[in-house]
Amino acid sequence: MRILLRSLCLVCAVLGAAPSWAAHGYALWRDLKYPAGFDHFDYVNPAAPKGGELRLVSNIRTSTFDKYNPFTIKGSAPAYLLGLMFDSLLTGSLDETGSGYGLLAEDVEVPADGMSVTFRLRPQARFHNGDPVLAADVKHSYDTLVGPHTSPAYKTSLDDVAGLDVLDERTVRYRFRKPNRELPLTVGGLPVFSRKWGMENGKTKPFDQVVTDVPVTSGPYKIGPVNFGKDITYVRDPSYWAKDLNVKRGTDNFDRITVKIYKDNTARLEALKAGEFDLMTFYSAGDWARRVKGKRFDTGELVKGEFRHRLPSGFQSYVLNTRREKLKDPRVRQALGLAVDFEWMSRQMFYGSYQRVNGLFGNTDCAASGLPSPEEVALLTPWRGKIPDATFGPMTVPPRTDGDSSLRANLRKAQALLKEAGWEVRDGALRNAQGEAMVLEYLDSSEGGVRGLSPWIRALEKLGIALNFRMVDFALYQQRLDQFDFDIMSINFQGTHNPGQEFADLFGSKAAKMENSGNFAGVSNPAVDALVTKMTSAKSKAELLPACRALERVISHSYYLIPQWTSGTHRMAYNAWRLARPENIPPYTRGEAWAISTWWRK
């Protein structure tokens, strides 16, 4: 799922009843910022020097890696491999939303009926082994990604793709089952790799057996020195075929990118202070406020930077697994959320650096507020009785514990909801009519998670609910998530300005029954399925906004997720003696991605 979401970061296409589109790129509402023949993206330094090394810490939670195949379900691939080694037909820009520009493809064409998209490959595109990138390779990549050995998220998000046709050596056409505004850029964002990857003695191995075979790709970096399972260095290909394209000018400036793995956050922080790597993103407000200091910070070698962005808030949340009997009742789920005291945590733990998440689409035009509009009501009305009645009222607002509100008052509301749902305190614990106690397990792979959870645990105890913290190693954690074997866990869902088919993987009924899907909450509701379809088939922004706002209302009023918190800045510590950067951060990128793509070595 995480790999797929990376390829969907540029998802956004326009499939209206307007004339066909043929151009150097593609935009959701036909409003590409950069014209044909543009020189470079505004946020890069086109004269940035090439050379030197960027030393990074792994950004994934695994403490090792055991394969080079980032697409198969089992095992863990090295951090950053997908983005550094694989090219796609289209690439997004970091200073606009809903756009993609030709990378492997030199031309994109969508007919007026929106039932297909045709890409013409650049003749100069080459894999690292020197072979040209051909239409047959694009088809092989697509067929592999929707095959049996990859994440089911690919199959869900590409469900409306009827197939891919090779029209000639350098032209492919994706056919769609129905017009879908996102699909041209969804397929345009898929990674492309050679048919020769995993080939032995002239035969291609089954894809799940392609494990440590070095990927045959066309991206700017190749695998260099490796301490297998620990550290990996990617080396820039000086003959990279796209280095002079406008979409690549001023990017990929480091000759080497070395990624080191440390066992935990404390080891990472101490290694940064010791000068073992050059850049680190911080997600802990406590670390950022109290522990990011030392000799190298005092001398100015290491610098703390907070970079504002305009990314969606996303929906980092506690996820409640409704496959569990105790969590099926939305009143129980709402009661659990009433016990979260964010205002206390903000004062005592977060140093006021976070804002509360609400809904799915915060900081985007899709965010719902107040009462539903007439257009939203029209979409919701056919589903009365299958969605909460409150969906037709004001949008949810997370409970507060400051001002006129208090945790005590919220817990009284929670107690009343639990009683309505058949749960009352008897013999020192919250029990149902059968005498079963409300005991829940919170699953995590990091010991540090218990600190942030403790205030919630204490508040739930006042309701008679036992929430037990269970830490497991990351491999077991991932396995249990893939099999939906948990009560409650946390996940940071990255938001989007242009929601589409990926929400079928996150909340669709089909995905709820598919292991390894992104539907962790187990949402299975025909109203949600219908609203996702409305959202993906919208032919204009006027059609899109009511659909995504209606979806947000249904999910929020169903209390599948307990919203956590978000930040409007990227917090990064970096080595100012070694690294140089463009003056401004583009608004729609993650901090590390910006650094890897556009910074350079002094």
Coordinates of all heavy atoms in Angstrom, one line a residue, residues 332-380:
V332 N -19.6 2.9 20.7 CA -18.4 2.6 21.5 C -17.2 3.3 20.9 O -16.3 3.8 21.6 CB -18.2 1.0 21.4 CG1 -16.8 0.6 22.0 CG2 -19.3 0.3 22.2
R333 N -17.1 3.4 19.6 CA -16.0 4.0 19.0 C -15.9 5.5 19.3 O -14.9 6.1 19.5 CB -16.0 3.8 17.4 CG -16.0 2.3 17.1 CD -15.6 2.1 15.6 NE -16.6 2.6 14.7 CZ -17.7 2.0 14.2 NH1 -17.9 0.7 14.6 NH2 -18.5 2.5 13.3
Q334 N -17.1 6.1 19.3 CA -17.2 7.6 19.6 C -16.8 7.8 21.1 O -16.1 8.7 21.4 CB -18.6 8.1 19.4 CG -18.7 9.6 19.7 CD -20.2 10.1 19.4 OE1 -21.1 9.3 19.1 NE2 -20.4 11.4 19.7
A335 N -17.2 6.9 21.9 CA -16.8 7.0 23.4 C -15.3 6.9 23.5 O -14.7 7.7 24.4 CB -17.5 5.9 24.2
L336 N -14.7 6.0 22.8 CA -13.2 5.9 22.9 C -12.5 7.3 22.6 O -11.6 7.7 23.2 CB -12.7 4.8 22.0 CG -13.1 3.4 22.4 CD1 -12.6 2.4 21.4 CD2 -12.5 3.0 23.8
G337 N -13.1 7.9 21.5 CA -12.5 9.2 21.1 C -12.7 10.3 22.1 O -11.9 11.2 22.2
L338 N -13.8 10.2 22.8 CA -14.1 11.3 23.8 C -13.1 11.2 25.0 O -13.0 12.2 25.8 CB -15.5 11.1 24.4 CG -16.6 11.6 23.5 CD1 -17.9 11.0 23.9 CD2 -16.6 13.1 23.5
A339 N -12.3 10.2 25.1 CA -11.3 10.0 26.2 C -10.0 10.6 25.8 O -9.0 10.5 26.6 CB -11.2 8.6 26.6
V340 N -9.8 11.0 24.6 CA -8.5 11.6 24.2 C -8.4 13.1 24.6 O -9.3 13.9 24.2 CB -8.3 11.5 22.7 CG1 -7.0 12.2 22.2 CG2 -8.3 10.0 22.2
D341 N -7.4 13.4 25.4 CA -7.3 14.8 25.9 C -6.1 15.4 25.1 O -5.0 15.6 25.6 CB -7.0 14.8 27.4 CG -7.0 16.2 28.0 OD1 -7.1 17.1 27.2 OD2 -7.0 16.3 29.2
F342 N -6.5 15.9 23.9 CA -5.4 16.5 23.1 C -4.9 17.8 23.7 O -3.7 18.1 23.6 CB -6.0 16.8 21.7 CG -5.0 17.6 20.8 CD1 -3.9 17.0 20.2 CD2 -5.3 19.0 20.6 CE1 -3.0 17.8 19.5 CE2 -4.4 19.7 19.8 CZ -3.3 19.1 19.3
E343 N -5.7 18.6 24.2 CA -5.3 19.9 24.8 C -4.2 19.7 25.9 O -3.2 20.4 25.9 CB -6.5 20.7 25.3 CG -7.3 21.4 24.1 CD -8.0 20.3 23.3 OE1 -8.5 19.3 23.9 OE2 -8.1 20.6 22.1
W344 N -4.4 18.7 26.7 CA -3.4 18.4 27.8 C -2.1 18.0 27.1 O -1.0 18.4 27.5 CB -4.0 17.4 28.7 CG -3.0 17.1 29.9 CD1 -3.0 17.7 31.1 CD2 -1.9 16.1 29.9 NE1 -2.0 17.2 31.9 CE2 -1.3 16.2 31.1 CE3 -1.5 15.2 28.9 CZ2 -0.2 15.4 31.5 CZ3 -0.4 14.4 29.3 CH2 0.2 14.5 30.5
M345 N -2.2 17.1 26.1 CA -1.1 16.6 25.5 C -0.3 17.7 24.7 O 0.9 17.7 24.7 CB -1.4 15.4 24.5 CG -2.1 14.2 25.1 SD -2.8 13.1 23.9 CE -1.2 12.3 23.3
S346 N -1.1 18.6 24.1 CA -0.4 19.7 23.4 C 0.4 20.6 24.4 O 1.5 21.0 24.0 CB -1.5 20.6 22.8 OG -0.9 21.6 22.1
R347 N -0.1 20.8 25.6 CA 0.6 21.6 26.6 C 1.8 20.9 27.2 O 2.9 21.4 27.3 CB -0.4 22.1 27.7 CG -1.4 23.0 27.3 CD -2.1 23.6 28.6 NE -2.6 22.5 29.5 CZ -3.8 22.0 29.4 NH1 -4.7 22.3 28.4 NH2 -4.2 21.0 30.3
Q348 N 1.5 19.6 27.5 CA 2.5 18.9 28.4 C 3.5 18.1 27.5 O 4.6 17.8 28.0 CB 1.8 18.0 29.3 CG 0.8 18.7 30.3 CD 1.5 19.6 31.2 OE1 2.6 19.4 31.6 NE2 0.9 20.7 31.5
M349 N 3.2 17.7 26.3 CA 4.0 16.8 25.6 C 4.4 17.4 24.2 O 5.5 17.0 23.7 CB 3.3 15.5 25.3 CG 2.9 14.8 26.6 SD 1.8 13.4 26.4 CE 2.9 12.3 25.4
F350 N 3.6 18.2 23.6 CA 3.9 18.6 22.2 C 4.4 20.0 22.0 O 4.6 20.4 20.9 CB 2.6 18.4 21.4 CG 2.0 17.1 21.3 CD1 0.7 16.9 21.0 CD2 2.8 15.9 21.5 CE1 0.1 15.6 21.0 CE2 2.3 14.7 21.4 CZ 0.9 14.5 21.2
Y351 N 4.5 20.7 23.2 CA 5.1 22.1 23.1 C 4.3 23.0 22.2 O 4.8 23.9 21.5 CB 6.6 22.0 22.7 CG 7.4 21.2 23.7 CD1 7.5 19.8 23.5 CD2 8.0 21.8 24.8 CE1 8.3 19.1 24.4 CE2 8.7 21.1 25.7 CZ 8.8 19.7 25.5 OH 9.6 19.0 26.4
G352 N 3.0 22.7 22.0 CA 2.1 23.5 21.2 C 2.4 23.5 19.7 O 2.0 24.4 19.0
S353 N 3.1 22.4 19.3 CA 3.6 22.4 17.9 C 2.7 21.7 16.9 O 3.0 21.7 15.7 CB 5.0 21.8 17.8 OG 5.0 20.4 18.3
Y354 N 1.6 21.1 17.4 CA 0.7 20.4 16.6 C -0.7 21.0 16.6 O -1.1 21.7 17.6 CB 0.6 18.9 17.0 CG 1.8 18.1 16.8 CD1 2.4 17.5 17.9 CD2 2.4 18.0 15.6 CE1 3.6 16.8 17.7 CE2 3.6 17.3 15.4 CZ 4.2 16.7 16.5 OH 5.3 16.0 16.3
Q355 N -1.5 20.7 15.5 CA -2.9 21.1 15.5 C -3.7 19.7 15.4 O -3.2 18.8 14.8 CB -3.2 21.9 14.3 CG -2.5 23.3 14.2 CD -1.1 23.1 13.7 OE1 -0.9 22.5 12.6 NE2 -0.1 23.7 14.4
R356 N -4.9 19.8 15.8 CA -5.7 18.5 15.8 C -6.2 18.3 14.4 O -6.6 19.2 13.7 CB -6.9 18.7 16.7 CG -7.7 17.4 17.0 CD -7.0 16.5 18.0 NE -7.5 15.2 18.1 CZ -8.5 14.8 19.0 NH1 -9.0 15.7 19.8 NH2 -8.9 13.6 19.1
V357 N -6.1 17.0 14.0 CA -6.7 16.6 12.7 C -8.2 16.5 12.9 O -8.7 16.1 13.9 CB -6.1 15.2 12.4 CG1 -6.8 14.5 11.2 CG2 -4.6 15.3 12.0
N358 N -8.9 16.8 11.8 CA -10.3 16.5 11.7 C -10.7 16.1 10.3 O -10.4 16.8 9.3 CB -11.1 17.8 12.1 CG -12.6 17.5 12.2 OD1 -13.0 16.4 12.7 ND2 -13.4 18.4 11.9
G359 N -11.3 14.9 10.2 CA -11.7 14.4 8.9 C -10.6 13.9 8.0 O -9.5 13.7 8.5
L360 N -10.9 13.8 6.7 CA -9.9 13.2 5.8 C -9.2 14.2 5.0 O -8.1 13.9 4.5 CB -10.7 12.2 4.8 CG -11.6 11.2 5.4 CD1 -12.2 10.4 4.3 CD2 -10.8 10.2 6.3
F361 N -9.7 15.4 4.8 CA -9.2 16.3 3.8 C -8.8 17.7 4.3 O -9.0 18.7 3.6 CB -10.3 16.5 2.7 CG -10.7 15.2 2.0 CD1 -12.0 14.7 2.0 CD2 -9.7 14.4 1.4 CE1 -12.4 13.6 1.4 CE2 -10.1 13.2 0.8 CZ -11.4 12.8 0.8
G362 N -8.3 17.7 5.5 CA -7.9 19.0 6.1 C -6.9 19.7 5.2 O -6.0 19.1 4.6
N363 N -7.0 21.0 5.2 CA -6.1 21.9 4.4 C -6.2 21.7 2.9 O -5.3 21.9 2.2 CB -4.6 21.7 4.8 CG -3.8 22.9 4.5 OD1 -4.2 24.0 4.5 ND2 -2.5 22.7 4.2
T364 N -7.4 21.3 2.5 CA -7.7 21.1 1.0 C -9.1 21.7 0.8 O -9.9 21.9 1.7 CB -7.6 19.7 0.5 OG1 -8.8 19.0 1.0 CG2 -6.4 19.0 1.1
D365 N -9.4 21.9 -0.5 CA -10.7 22.3 -0.9 C -11.8 21.3 -0.6 O -13.0 21.6 -0.6 CB -10.8 22.7 -2.4 CG -10.0 23.9 -2.7 OD1 -9.7 24.7 -1.7 OD2 -9.6 24.1 -3.9
C366 N -11.4 20.0 -0.4 CA -12.3 18.9 -0.2 C -12.8 18.9 1.3 O -13.8 18.1 1.5 CB -11.7 17.6 -0.5 SG -11.5 17.3 -2.3
A367 N -12.3 19.6 2.2 CA -12.7 19.6 3.6 C -14.1 20.0 3.8 O -14.5 21.0 3.3 CB -11.7 20.4 4.4
A368 N -14.9 19.2 4.5 CA -16.2 19.5 4.9 C -16.3 20.4 6.1 O -15.4 20.3 7.0 CB -17.1 18.3 5.1
S369 N -17.3 21.3 6.2 CA -17.5 22.1 7.4 C -19.0 22.5 7.5 O -19.7 22.5 6.5 CB -16.6 23.4 7.3 OG -17.0 24.2 6.2
G370 N -19.4 22.7 8.7 CA -20.8 23.2 8.9 C -21.8 22.1 8.4 O -21.5 20.9 8.4
L371 N -22.9 22.6 8.0 CA -24.0 21.7 7.5 C -23.6 21.3 6.0 O -23.0 22.0 5.3 CB -25.3 22.4 7.5 CG -25.9 22.7 8.9 CD1 -27.1 23.6 8.8 CD2 -26.2 21.4 9.6
P372 N -24.1 20.1 5.6 CA -23.9 19.7 4.2 C -24.6 20.6 3.2 O -25.7 21.1 3.5 CB -24.4 18.3 4.2 CG -25.3 18.1 5.4 CD -24.8 19.1 6.4
S373 N -24.0 20.8 2.1 CA -24.6 21.6 1.1 C -25.8 20.8 0.4 O -25.9 19.6 0.6 CB -23.6 22.0 0.0 OG -23.2 20.8 -0.7
P374 N -26.7 21.5 -0.3 CA -27.7 20.8 -1.0 C -27.2 19.7 -1.9 O -27.8 18.6 -2.0 CB -28.4 21.9 -1.8 CG -28.2 23.1 -1.1 CD -26.8 23.0 -0.5
E375 N -26.0 19.9 -2.6 CA -25.4 18.9 -3.4 C -24.9 17.7 -2.6 O -25.1 16.5 -3.0 CB -24.2 19.5 -4.2 CG -24.6 20.6 -5.2 CD -24.8 21.9 -4.6 OE1 -24.6 22.1 -3.4 OE2 -25.3 22.8 -5.3
E376 N -24.4 18.0 -1.4 CA -24.0 16.9 -0.6 C -25.2 16.1 -0.1 O -25.2 14.8 0.0 CB -23.2 17.4 0.6 CG -21.8 18.0 0.3 CD -21.2 18.8 1.4 OE1 -21.1 18.2 2.5 OE2 -20.9 20.0 1.3
V377 N -26.2 16.8 0.3 CA -27.4 16.1 0.8 C -28.0 15.2 -0.3 O -28.5 14.1 0.0 CB -28.5 17.2 1.3 CG1 -29.8 16.5 1.6 CG2 -28.0 17.9 2.5
A378 N -28.0 15.7 -1.5 CA -28.5 14.9 -2.6 C -27.7 13.6 -2.8 O -28.3 12.5 -3.1 CB -28.4 15.7 -3.9
L379 N -26.4 13.6 -2.5 CA -25.6 12.4 -2.6 C -25.8 11.5 -1.4 O -25.7 10.2 -1.5 CB -24.1 12.7 -2.7 CG -23.7 13.5 -4.0 CD1 -22.2 13.9 -3.8 CD2 -23.8 12.5 -5.2
L380 N -26.1 12.1 -0.2 CA -26.3 11.3 1.0 C -27.7 10.7 1.2 O -27.8 9.6 1.8 CB -25.9 12.2 2.2 CG -24.5 12.7 2.3 CD1 -24.4 13.8 3.4 CD2 -23.6 11.5 2.7

